Amino acid sequence: MNSQITFSSHRGYRFHQGLLASFVANSIQAVNFLGDRFLRKYHLSAGIEELYRHSMNAAFAEKEAFLVTGAPHASAYYPRDFAWFYPDVLDPETIMDSQDAVRRVRLLEKSVRLMLEAVRAGVVTTTIVPAGRNRYIGINYFSKPSDTLLGILAGLEQLLTAEQRPCSYLAMSQGAHAGRLLLSEYRADLKREILGLAGALQRFDDNGLSALLCDVSAPRSAATDTRAERRRFVTNACVYATFLRGIKLEVIERGELEQLLGRGLSQYKKELLLLFGRHGYVSHSLDSRAGTPVYSIALDFVNVHQGFWDLNDAAERALFAATTDFILAEPRFRVPDTSHFLVSADNPLNKLIHKIAAPAYQGRSSWPTFNVEFADRMLDYDECSGTQTYRAYACDILRDIRTVTETHGGYQELISEKGLKYRTWAYQSAVAHSWFPRFLTVWKRAFGTSLLGS
């Protein structure tokens, strides 16, 4: 493969929305899921190195038009994933060789360009479904997103910072150059949407505490979007992280944003922590039922890589530690005899589609990548506090994910509450090829050595 990457130019993408477009998109998705359910061949269990090479060849194949999770989502694109699940696509520690680097950079550039074209067209949705040559449908399955812009910014940032990592791949500098061109071309479009997101926030008051929320009156989705709940911590943490990344990439000026918010960004975050942490731990949702902490907490509080938590403040560390300790101590959060932690201790509200296709998707199931982020935030805590409070727990999580990956033949998207493959009708064996590199990055951080060859 030629190491000189030729990036795609503007190709006249067309984006569609509306009731008819959503019906077409849902029909396409149904066909995709049926095809995956009955036609996909499963990879047999093997050693971690063989599984990783198979996954990377599948995730970054030259024929792919966009970076996708894996089965059964291989025909629809989720911009949020670039923040939640794909933050280390260009980590040199996870790249197999120069050809792998070229494939990754090329596919990431194509993906980011398509998402930026959608932003320019005013299509900021949770899901983009291909509907013919250069035609795409933007749909929200359950609610407007809180984290789509965050994912787009995260994908763009990966390109921009590619050459800052110590590595010998020429593709990285080429990717960084492409990122700079994209940022220059689409900066105004991104700024417009960030200002729109900031302007949509509403003040919420509760027992003397107040904060600006994105979902006061209606749900907004984040990575665990099928809860269809209002006033969720993670959706609002995603908005804060979006503002922070927008400032970092110089898409928007801090002063302009803070003037619109009517408060400093640090005060905005402090108010969120006080509101959601009023009981001494991070409540999943302000609308969640009263009771013991176990029913008010969800694992997705760890948010995204380089997201809400920076853990430099003692009060923030105390809140994080209290929430973490509840999860570690509560058996209902854990797959028995493992360090796989479930999304929550019970199932939240389910719509009909979830009862058929994914009944435990947001409740009593384990997402390996949420567990990886849980481990990474634990390592953040220890680093910021100068202690060894959680490192052993983080290592246990990562070892168990390695075991289940080798046992089931690939990096799983979901694990059942019994620690088995997630075998619902639609998710017969959901694999997540593109999430695999993030696991390698956090493993190296925890153990100090590469997962491959260990």
Side-chain angles (χ1 to χ4, degrees):
M1 180 180 296
N2 194 331
S3 61
Q4 183 64 39
I5 304 176
T6 302
F7 294 110
S8 59
S9 59
H10 184 280
R11 301 193 303 171
Y13 299 119
R14 297 187 64 181
F15 296 91
H16 306 272
Q17 285 184 295
L19 290 177
L20 178 59
S22 294
F23 175 79
V24 172
N26 286 325
S27 299
I28 293 172
Q29 282 290 76
V31 172
N32 292 340
F33 271 79
L34 282 169
D36 175 77
R37 176 67 176 80
F38 295 110
L39 299 178
R40 183 161 60 89
K41 296 179 180 179
Y42 302 110
H43 199 70
L44 299 177
S45 60
I48 200 75
E49 292 191 47
E50 179 183 344
L51 291 172
Y52 187 71
R53 181 167 293 277
H54 167 78
S55 293
M56 295 305 94
N57 288 336
F60 306 110
E62 289 185 71
K63 63 180 177 61
E64 295 293 343
F66 193 99
L67 180 57
V68 296
T69 300
H73 300 296
S75 298
Y77 314 143
Y78 305 88
R80 64 168 56 136
D81 288 356
F82 290 82
W84 279 98
F85 306 125
Y86 309 154
D88 288 316
V89 168
L90 298 187
D91 180 357
E93 292 285 346
T94 74
I95 295 175
M96 297 183 296
D97 50 41
S98 60
Q99 292 186 350
D100 186 28
V102 169
R103 291 197 303 266
R104 293 193 194 196
V105 170
R106 179 186 286 122
L107 191 56
L108 183 58
E109 188 274 344
K110 290 166 65 176
S111 302
V112 172
R113 179 179 291 277
L114 176 59
M115 293 188 295
L116 289 171
E117 278 292 311
V119 169
R120 174 165 289 177
V123 179
V124 181
T125 58
T126 63
T127 310
I128 300 173
V129 178
R133 183 174 178 80
N134 293 340
R135 290 178 178 267
Y136 298 89
I137 299 173
I139 55 174
N140 296 313
Y141 284 118
F142 303 100
S143 59
K144 293 177 65 176
S146 76
D147 55 357
T148 290
L149 283 175
L150 175 61
I152 294 170
L153 290 169
L156 180 58
E157 186 178 18
Q158 276 209 69
L159 286 171
L160 289 166
T161 60
E163 64 185 357
Q164 297 175 15
R165 298 176 183 262
C167 67
S168 58
Y169 300 122
L170 175 62
M172 296 302 186
S173 60
Q174 295 171 338
H177 177 67
R180 288 189 289 270
L181 293 177
L182 288 173
L183 179 58
S184 176
E185 182 177 354
Y186 294 95
R187 189 190 306 272
D189 303 291
L190 288 168
K191 179 178 180 179
R192 182 194 70 237
E193 292 297 334
I194 292 174
L195 288 173
L197 179 61
L201 301 182
Q202 296 176 279
R203 182 186 176 95
F204 179 76
D205 297 287
D206 187 29
N207 293 324
L209 296 173
S210 67
L212 292 176
L213 303 184
C214 68
D215 54 353
V216 170
S217 56
R220 296 287 292 253
S221 71
T224 48
D225 66 336
T226 54
R227 289 181 176 275
E229 294 171 313
R230 299 177 304 165
R231 303 165 189 169
R232 291 175 58 202
F233 172 76
V234 69
T235 57
N236 287 284
C238 282
V239 174
Y240 170 83
T242 300
F243 296 156
L244 207 64
R245 264 206 163 97
I247 293 169
K248 181 180 179 182
L249 295 182
E250 299 182 342
V251 172
I252 189 169
E253 294 182 1
R254 179 183 289 268
E256 183 178 8
L257 181 59
E258 291 181 339
Q259 183 177 9
L260 181 59
L261 296 175
R263 57 195 26 84
L265 207 58
S266 60
Q267 180 63 25
Y268 167 56
K269 176 179 177 178
K270 181 179 179 181
E271 290 173 354
L272 290 176
L273 286 173
L274 288 172
L275 185 61
F276 284 94
R278 58 188 172 178
H279 300 303
Y281 54 85
V282 179
S283 297
H284 158 70
S285 169
L286 300 179
D287 290 349
S288 61
R289 64 181 182 175
T292 59
V294 65
Y295 293 114
S296 302
I297 293 173
L299 185 62
D300 60 8
F301 90 98
V302 296
N303 199 25
V304 297
H305 174 59
Q306 296 183 1
F308 186 86
W309 299 99
D310 61 34
L311 300 173
N312 290 320
D313 178 75
E316 184 176 321
R317 288 198 300 273
L319 188 59
F320 175 88
T323 313
T324 297
D325 291 344
F326 275 126
I327 293 174
L328 293 176
E330 175 51 61
R332 284 168 288 186
F333 259 107
R334 192 185 296 248
V335 174
D337 303 318
T338 74
S339 289
H340 295 301
F341 293 93
L342 308 178
V343 175
S344 63
D346 65 346
N347 278 334
L349 298 174
N350 278 324
K351 295 188 177 184
L352 179 61
I353 188 173
H354 307 132
K355 294 177 182 179
I356 297 172
Y361 195 70
Q362 307 301 338
R364 294 197 59 78
S365 59
S366 174
W367 288 36
T369 293
F370 279 2
N371 277 262
V372 168
E373 292 307 318
F374 193 26
D376 200 45
R377 294 298 83 69
M378 290 179 183
L379 297 174
D380 286 341
Y381 179 93
D382 283 3
E383 182 177 296
C384 291
S385 64
T387 67
Q388 292 289 315
T389 305
Y390 295 118
R391 176 169 293 275
Y393 294 105
C395 290
D396 286 344
I397 289 172
L398 299 172
R399 289 190 191 98
D400 279 356
I401 292 175
R402 172 180 180 168
T403 297
V404 78
T405 299
E406 291 183 314
T407 300
H408 295 323
Y411 192 95
Q412 301 296 292
E413 178 178 343
L414 296 156
I415 300 172
S416 76
E417 64 181 291
K418 296 181 179 179
L420 304 175
K421 281 187 178 182
Y422 196 76
R423 290 184 180 275
T424 61
W425 179 84
Y427 291 77
Q428 180 68 12
S429 181
V431 293
H433 295 315
S434 301
W435 300 1
F436 212 155
R438 177 66 179 148
F439 175 48
L440 263 65
T441 299
V442 179
W443 179 282
K444 175 66 180 293
R445 182 184 184 190
F447 294 100
T449 58
S450 173
L451 173 66
L452 305 181
S454 63

